[in-house]
Amino acid sequence: MGAAASPAVEPVVGEPAAVADLGGERALLVADVHAGIEVGLRYERGVELDSRADARRERLCSLLDETDADRLVVLGDLAHRIGAPDGDERAELETLIAAVTDRVPMTLVEGNHDAGVAEAFADDLDVIGAGGGVLGETVAVCHGHTWPDPELLDAGVVCMGHEHPQVRLADAVGGSRAERAWLRGELDPAAFVEDGGHEGDGPVPPELVVFPAFNERSGGTWVNVEGQSFLAPFLPDALPAGDAYLLDGTRLGEFRRV
């Protein structure tokens, strides 16, 4: 996002990840890792795919090393299957969490797939509930599947996952492809909390940053396709004029007009 990015949250160019300045700590933020997705797709749809568990873990650990982060924050959906993890999915989670926590502490913001994970790995993770929370003084985090805590409006920037935003881009020969994308823009406080009426303590509303999914196999919301509905209860209303960016930092402009 270059100069347009929040000074507290800077995307890692070419990656579905960002670095956040939490005051005394530097954190790597990712969303929607969906560990065990291949297991889930096998049960849900009968689709057989080779596991990319090792590649996901190595990529995440490389990003921690490259960014010199002091902490990993997962903005929900660390796991894919809802409920207590078992079998191959649990094995992937155990190996992933051990590899990360050998390097840095790990925080999980509970997503709609994470109730069983938070309980199973309570000794290994710092857990923030589904309503979200504020890290440091300026960076708020939530997953986005439920209405957030109004205290998030007191931060300078709110980071969320859940949507897996994608854009459909046409090519020169009439075909199209899907690309993961960031969404960002000024948040509308009245649309962000369930009962409205909360404005936050800052002089201006926070910026909202919707993270692309870390897992490239997890699909998502095609934000520039007519008829697509958002997953978060407060979107798209809470982002009335947001821009879309590709992972390489290319600004596509207002996401509704891409």
Side-chain angles (χ1 to χ4, degrees):
M1 296 179 204
S6 162
V9 177
E10 185 65 35
V12 180
V13 176
E15 299 286 350
V19 174
D21 179 2
L22 305 181
E25 197 172 49
R26 179 179 173 85
L28 179 71
L29 272 59
V30 299
D32 300 290
V33 176
H34 284 272
I37 192 170
E38 293 85 5
V39 178
L41 291 175
R42 188 183 313 143
Y43 285 107
E44 295 160 8
R45 304 180 191 176
V47 175
E48 293 284 347
L49 296 172
D50 291 337
S51 174
R52 292 182 183 169
D54 292 346
R56 283 190 288 269
R57 183 181 67 254
E58 290 166 7
R59 188 155 135 250
L60 201 49
C61 290
S62 293
L63 281 168
L64 285 167
D65 295 340
E66 291 166 13
T67 59
D68 197 25
D70 302 308
R71 173 177 297 275
L72 174 67
V73 179
V74 179
L75 303 174
D77 288 1
L78 174 61
H80 181 69
R81 275 204 299 171
I82 297 172
D86 60 13
D88 290 344
E89 182 186 42
R90 186 178 179 106
E92 178 178 346
L93 285 164
E94 288 175 347
T95 306
L96 173 62
I97 291 170
V100 169
T101 55
D102 278 349
R103 290 169 166 80
V104 296
M106 184 172 177
T107 297
L108 172 63
V109 184
E110 253 186 285
N112 49 308
H113 287 241
D114 291 322
V117 177
E119 183 177 348
F121 296 96
D123 294 339
D124 305 301
L125 305 171
D126 298 322
V127 178
I128 295 174
V134 179
L135 303 174
E137 296 181 357
T138 61
V139 179
V141 292
C142 65
H143 182 56
H145 64 297
T146 189
W147 290 101
D149 191 315
E151 73 165 344
L152 273 58
L153 292 172
D154 297 335
V157 57
V158 177
C159 299
M160 64 169 284
H162 190 51
E163 285 297 340
H164 308 192
Q166 297 179 323
V167 291
R168 177 188 280 174
L169 300 176
D171 60 31
V173 294
S176 66
R177 70 184 193 278
E179 294 275 357
R180 284 176 289 175
W182 299 84
L183 302 182
R184 65 162 290 273
E186 187 176 287
L187 185 153
D188 179 353
F192 187 62
V193 293
E194 188 170 15
D195 55 355
H198 298 273
E199 295 297 327
D201 292 338
V204 296
E207 177 186 49
L208 180 64
V209 180
V210 185
F211 276 55
F214 187 80
N215 192 318
E216 74 280 3
R217 283 179 161 170
S218 59
T221 301
W222 291 36
V223 299
N224 65 333
V225 175
E226 193 71 30
Q228 286 278 297
S229 57
F230 281 75
L231 302 174
F234 49 84
L235 289 180
D237 295 347
L239 192 61
D243 286 336
Y245 297 81
L246 297 181
L247 298 191
D248 65 5
T250 301
R251 179 179 177 273
L252 300 175
E254 215 284 325
F255 71 83
R256 294 172 180 83
R257 298 183 175 87
V258 173

